[in-house]
Amino acid sequence: MQPVVKLEDIHKTYSNGEIEVRAVRGVSLEIHQGEFVALMGASGSGKSTLMNMLGCLDRPTSGRYLLDGIDVSSLDRNERADIRNQKLGFVFQGFNLLARTTALENVELPMLYAKKRISSREMRERAMQALDIVGLSKRFDHYPSQLSGGQQQRVAIARALVNQPQVLLADEPTGNLDSKTSVEVMGVFQKLNDQGITILMVTHELDIASYCKRNLILRDGVIVSDVQVSPRLMADEELRKLAAAEAAAKLTDAPSAH
Amino acid sequence: MRFVATLIIAFRALRRNKLRSVLTALGMIIGVGAVIAMVSMGNGAKAQVEAQIAGLGQNVISIFPGSMTSGGLRGGWGSASTLSVDDAEAIKREIPGAIGVSVEVRDRQQVMANGLNWNTSVSGVSPDYLDVRAWPLADGEFFSDNDVRTTAKVCVIGKTIADQLFAGTDPIGQNIRVRNIPMRVIGVLGSKGFNFFGQDQDDVLLVPYTTAMKRVTRRDRINSILVQAPSQESMERVQEEVTALLQQRRQGREPDFTVRNQLEIAEVATASSKTMTALLAGIAFVSLVVGGIGIMNIMLVSVTERTREIGIRLAVGAHGKDVLMQFLTEAVVLSVLGGALGILLGIGTAQGLAIWKGWPVEISTASVVVAFFFSAAVGIFFGFYPARKAAQLDPIDALRYE
């Protein structure tokens, strides 16, 4: 089976007048259907640059990028926008929901820009389904300001899912969340991955990376480590442990309260 | 992206900043309102002038005698008594386009009736006169060709004289003494009001021109000949024919007459009101441009403020074109809403002035339509630059924008 994402010797050089910055220096990578990959690296390692190229927001200076068998490394601005719309789903660190716009309308957003026209009824149905997957269908009419960080991120995940993308790209999706909410969001990703969705996320937190199946480490623009995660953390289990720990804390705390 | 969706997005965005949207649109509201109100006033003034010009008569060509030079003094138009009744008769006889011809003999006289007296303009005219000047009779009848032939002592009076000399009574059948000659009133003219120069057109006493020449002025000179053409289009042709005929009758002598048509007079009279309308429209246009700049300013602020939103839209697959359309639509919705409200404001202002100040206003449909489309054009013109700026944003930079 052909890989969903195939990078062949990708380079990215930024030239700012006389200074040349070689952010990515020859990355080759294959990601197959159903994988759950964490891309890690210190700041300046080139992971954001790589992520922008994977997300078709930016073009490599050299090398080939095959997404779902299509060479996207030489597409123009509008063609890349269509690829982003049809084949990729984005989840950002800062959620990036439209303010003063309901959860439902936020999820409908990518469908507004679909090449094929979607009826408003179908848009609504699909958006509700996506919200249902992340467990927020009851809050479809809430505004982002009325939702917690974890809930906002789940709305963002629903938005990323709504056009049934080939790959879900998440850029530090737990970066703005507390540890418990982070685990919950990772639970949502694991559930989606179990349903066969390919996920690629950037993180700098090791424990978050342990919820993924495969970890890549980028340093100075090259991949220095590519390992299968073992032992892998399961969000459901961790949440149970956390709940138990909280309960235990209350138990031990309870007597001293008297 | 679909048009309706773009429109909905634009409305949502504007609703989010209600006060700002209203203040921005205010520029357009005032601009368009000013255009409508000012053009209405200008049109009203123009219509008033035109009505007065029409009061001169319908498609009238006026012939005045030339100037007379005696002893080095040049007398100006009308000083020579070079026009004759024969000229008028020749015109009537030989020019088929002259459907009505009237001579005019004018004099001022002190007239008396009922023990009252009044100084008025006495005009000797032909039976065609009322048709030529499109002047209806309020009562009674006008004199006939027979009255002209017999130099009948009959007269038709204007409303002012009827009021001054016969207040409360029916003037028909009563006598007015002009130069001590009693003349029987056989008709009363309909009221024409004041003319463009502020003269009371109803302060007039009409008698057959033969009567005027024989009994009032006691001279055979006439002041002018009025010729009516069948239509506005034929006016110039008739004017040329009249000129040619009179020239021919003078057998190669210097032309001692001048021929004017009503359009020429109307042109002079409407020129000032046209200038006024143009001036008002100019001021209004400036305020529209200022309104447009207001929209551009707010749209630029809006684009900067919503950089992140633009980034999100671009990231999930919006083309530059979609973003351009979104912001352009917002600008156009703003300006068109402002324009629509401005039209209402302008009509309201014009009507208000008409009711409370009694100014002549005339709201033209054309100005409303033009103002509306102009406001949309202002939106497109001033919205384009900010919208293009939004569309050209790089999604990566836009997403990172704080």
Short mmCIF file of all heavy atoms in Angstrom, two decimals, chain B residues 48-75:
data_model
loop_
_atom_site.label_atom_id
_atom_site.label_comp_id
_atom_site.label_asym_id
_atom_site.label_seq_id
_atom_site.Cartn_x
_atom_site.Cartn_y
_atom_site.Cartn_z
N GLN B 48 -39.08 75.03 -11.40
CA GLN B 48 -39.81 76.28 -11.23
C GLN B 48 -39.48 77.25 -12.36
O GLN B 48 -40.37 77.86 -12.96
CB GLN B 48 -39.40 76.90 -9.89
CG GLN B 48 -40.45 77.81 -9.32
CD GLN B 48 -40.03 78.34 -7.97
OE1 GLN B 48 -38.85 78.56 -7.71
NE2 GLN B 48 -41.01 78.58 -7.11
N VAL B 49 -38.19 77.35 -12.65
CA VAL B 49 -37.76 78.24 -13.74
C VAL B 49 -38.37 77.77 -15.06
O VAL B 49 -38.88 78.57 -15.84
CB VAL B 49 -36.22 78.27 -13.83
CG1 VAL B 49 -35.79 79.00 -15.08
CG2 VAL B 49 -35.66 78.95 -12.60
N GLU B 50 -38.34 76.46 -15.27
CA GLU B 50 -38.86 75.93 -16.53
C GLU B 50 -40.34 76.21 -16.68
O GLU B 50 -40.83 76.52 -17.77
CB GLU B 50 -38.59 74.43 -16.63
CG GLU B 50 -37.22 74.16 -17.25
CD GLU B 50 -36.75 72.74 -17.04
OE1 GLU B 50 -37.54 71.90 -16.55
OE2 GLU B 50 -35.59 72.47 -17.37
N ALA B 51 -41.05 76.11 -15.55
CA ALA B 51 -42.49 76.39 -15.59
C ALA B 51 -42.71 77.84 -15.99
O ALA B 51 -43.62 78.15 -16.76
CB ALA B 51 -43.11 76.10 -14.23
N GLN B 52 -41.85 78.72 -15.49
CA GLN B 52 -41.99 80.13 -15.83
C GLN B 52 -41.67 80.38 -17.30
O GLN B 52 -42.32 81.18 -17.97
CB GLN B 52 -41.08 80.98 -14.94
CG GLN B 52 -41.70 81.17 -13.58
CD GLN B 52 -40.70 81.65 -12.57
OE1 GLN B 52 -39.50 81.68 -12.82
NE2 GLN B 52 -41.20 82.01 -11.41
N ILE B 53 -40.66 79.65 -17.78
CA ILE B 53 -40.32 79.80 -19.19
C ILE B 53 -41.49 79.31 -20.03
O ILE B 53 -41.88 79.94 -21.01
CB ILE B 53 -39.05 78.96 -19.53
CG1 ILE B 53 -37.86 79.45 -18.73
CG2 ILE B 53 -38.77 79.02 -21.02
CD1 ILE B 53 -37.48 80.88 -18.95
N ALA B 54 -42.06 78.18 -19.63
CA ALA B 54 -43.21 77.65 -20.36
C ALA B 54 -44.34 78.67 -20.33
O ALA B 54 -45.14 78.73 -21.25
CB ALA B 54 -43.65 76.33 -19.74
N GLY B 55 -44.39 79.47 -19.27
CA GLY B 55 -45.41 80.51 -19.15
C GLY B 55 -45.32 81.56 -20.24
O GLY B 55 -46.27 82.27 -20.52
N LEU B 56 -44.16 81.66 -20.85
CA LEU B 56 -44.01 82.61 -21.96
C LEU B 56 -44.87 82.19 -23.13
O LEU B 56 -45.20 82.97 -24.00
CB LEU B 56 -42.55 82.68 -22.41
CG LEU B 56 -41.54 83.22 -21.41
CD1 LEU B 56 -40.14 83.13 -22.00
CD2 LEU B 56 -41.87 84.66 -21.06
N GLY B 57 -45.20 80.92 -23.18
CA GLY B 57 -45.98 80.41 -24.29
C GLY B 57 -45.39 79.10 -24.77
O GLY B 57 -44.41 78.63 -24.22
N GLN B 58 -46.03 78.57 -25.80
CA GLN B 58 -45.55 77.28 -26.27
C GLN B 58 -44.81 77.43 -27.58
O GLN B 58 -45.37 77.93 -28.55
CB GLN B 58 -46.74 76.35 -26.46
CG GLN B 58 -47.11 75.66 -25.15
CD GLN B 58 -47.58 74.27 -25.44
OE1 GLN B 58 -48.51 74.07 -26.19
NE2 GLN B 58 -46.94 73.30 -24.83
N ASN B 59 -43.54 77.03 -27.59
CA ASN B 59 -42.72 77.05 -28.80
C ASN B 59 -42.78 78.41 -29.49
O ASN B 59 -43.08 78.51 -30.68
CB ASN B 59 -43.16 75.95 -29.76
CG ASN B 59 -43.30 74.62 -29.05
OD1 ASN B 59 -42.45 74.26 -28.24
ND2 ASN B 59 -44.37 73.91 -29.32
N VAL B 60 -42.54 79.43 -28.71
CA VAL B 60 -42.73 80.78 -29.23
C VAL B 60 -41.43 81.36 -29.78
O VAL B 60 -40.36 81.21 -29.19
CB VAL B 60 -43.27 81.70 -28.11
CG1 VAL B 60 -43.36 83.13 -28.61
CG2 VAL B 60 -44.64 81.23 -27.67
N ILE B 61 -41.55 81.99 -30.93
CA ILE B 61 -40.44 82.73 -31.52
C ILE B 61 -40.82 84.22 -31.43
O ILE B 61 -41.93 84.58 -31.80
CB ILE B 61 -40.25 82.32 -32.99
CG1 ILE B 61 -39.84 80.84 -33.05
CG2 ILE B 61 -39.21 83.20 -33.68
CD1 ILE B 61 -40.23 80.19 -34.34
N SER B 62 -39.92 85.00 -30.89
CA SER B 62 -40.22 86.43 -30.74
C SER B 62 -39.40 87.22 -31.74
O SER B 62 -38.22 86.96 -31.93
CB SER B 62 -39.88 86.90 -29.32
OG SER B 62 -40.44 86.02 -28.39
N ILE B 63 -40.05 88.20 -32.36
CA ILE B 63 -39.35 89.08 -33.30
C ILE B 63 -39.41 90.49 -32.74
O ILE B 63 -40.50 90.99 -32.42
CB ILE B 63 -39.99 89.02 -34.69
CG1 ILE B 63 -40.04 87.56 -35.18
CG2 ILE B 63 -39.20 89.89 -35.69
CD1 ILE B 63 -41.26 87.26 -35.98
N PHE B 64 -38.25 91.09 -32.55
CA PHE B 64 -38.20 92.45 -32.04
C PHE B 64 -37.67 93.37 -33.13
O PHE B 64 -36.89 92.94 -33.97
CB PHE B 64 -37.27 92.53 -30.82
CG PHE B 64 -37.65 91.60 -29.71
CD1 PHE B 64 -36.94 90.43 -29.49
CD2 PHE B 64 -38.74 91.90 -28.90
CE1 PHE B 64 -37.30 89.58 -28.47
CE2 PHE B 64 -39.09 91.04 -27.88
CZ PHE B 64 -38.38 89.88 -27.66
N PRO B 65 -38.07 94.61 -33.08
CA PRO B 65 -37.52 95.55 -34.05
C PRO B 65 -36.04 95.79 -33.76
O PRO B 65 -35.56 95.58 -32.65
CB PRO B 65 -38.32 96.83 -33.83
CG PRO B 65 -39.24 96.58 -32.71
CD PRO B 65 -39.04 95.23 -32.17
N GLY B 66 -35.32 96.25 -34.76
CA GLY B 66 -33.89 96.50 -34.59
C GLY B 66 -33.63 97.79 -33.84
O GLY B 66 -34.55 98.47 -33.39
N SER B 67 -32.36 98.14 -33.74
CA SER B 67 -32.02 99.36 -33.01
C SER B 67 -32.02 100.54 -33.98
O SER B 67 -31.82 100.37 -35.19
CB SER B 67 -30.68 99.22 -32.33
OG SER B 67 -29.67 99.31 -33.30
N MET B 68 -32.24 101.68 -33.44
CA MET B 68 -32.27 102.86 -34.29
C MET B 68 -31.11 103.77 -33.88
O MET B 68 -30.87 103.97 -32.71
CB MET B 68 -33.58 103.60 -34.10
CG MET B 68 -33.80 104.73 -35.06
SD MET B 68 -35.36 105.51 -34.72
CE MET B 68 -35.02 106.26 -33.16
N THR B 69 -30.42 104.26 -34.86
CA THR B 69 -29.34 105.18 -34.56
C THR B 69 -29.76 106.57 -35.07
O THR B 69 -30.11 106.72 -36.22
CB THR B 69 -28.05 104.75 -35.27
OG1 THR B 69 -27.79 103.40 -34.92
CG2 THR B 69 -26.88 105.61 -34.85
N SER B 70 -29.78 107.52 -34.13
CA SER B 70 -30.10 108.87 -34.59
C SER B 70 -29.11 109.84 -33.98
O SER B 70 -28.93 109.88 -32.77
CB SER B 70 -31.54 109.25 -34.21
OG SER B 70 -31.65 109.55 -32.86
N GLY B 71 -28.43 110.53 -34.81
CA GLY B 71 -27.44 111.51 -34.36
C GLY B 71 -26.34 110.88 -33.54
O GLY B 71 -25.90 111.45 -32.55
N GLY B 72 -25.92 109.64 -33.92
CA GLY B 72 -24.84 108.99 -33.20
C GLY B 72 -25.29 108.25 -31.96
O GLY B 72 -24.54 107.50 -31.37
N LEU B 73 -26.53 108.40 -31.55
CA LEU B 73 -27.05 107.65 -30.40
C LEU B 73 -27.63 106.34 -30.89
O LEU B 73 -28.53 106.35 -31.73
CB LEU B 73 -28.13 108.46 -29.67
CG LEU B 73 -27.68 109.58 -28.76
CD1 LEU B 73 -28.91 110.30 -28.22
CD2 LEU B 73 -26.85 109.02 -27.62
N ARG B 74 -27.10 105.29 -30.37
CA ARG B 74 -27.67 103.99 -30.77
C ARG B 74 -28.72 103.60 -29.76
O ARG B 74 -28.47 103.56 -28.57
CB ARG B 74 -26.57 102.95 -30.88
CG ARG B 74 -25.52 103.36 -31.94
CD ARG B 74 -24.41 102.35 -32.03
NE ARG B 74 -24.88 101.08 -32.56
CZ ARG B 74 -24.22 99.95 -32.35
NH1 ARG B 74 -23.14 99.94 -31.63
NH2 ARG B 74 -24.67 98.84 -32.87
N GLY B 75 -29.88 103.30 -30.23
CA GLY B 75 -31.03 103.17 -29.34
C GLY B 75 -31.23 101.82 -28.67
O GLY B 75 -32.03 101.70 -27.77
#
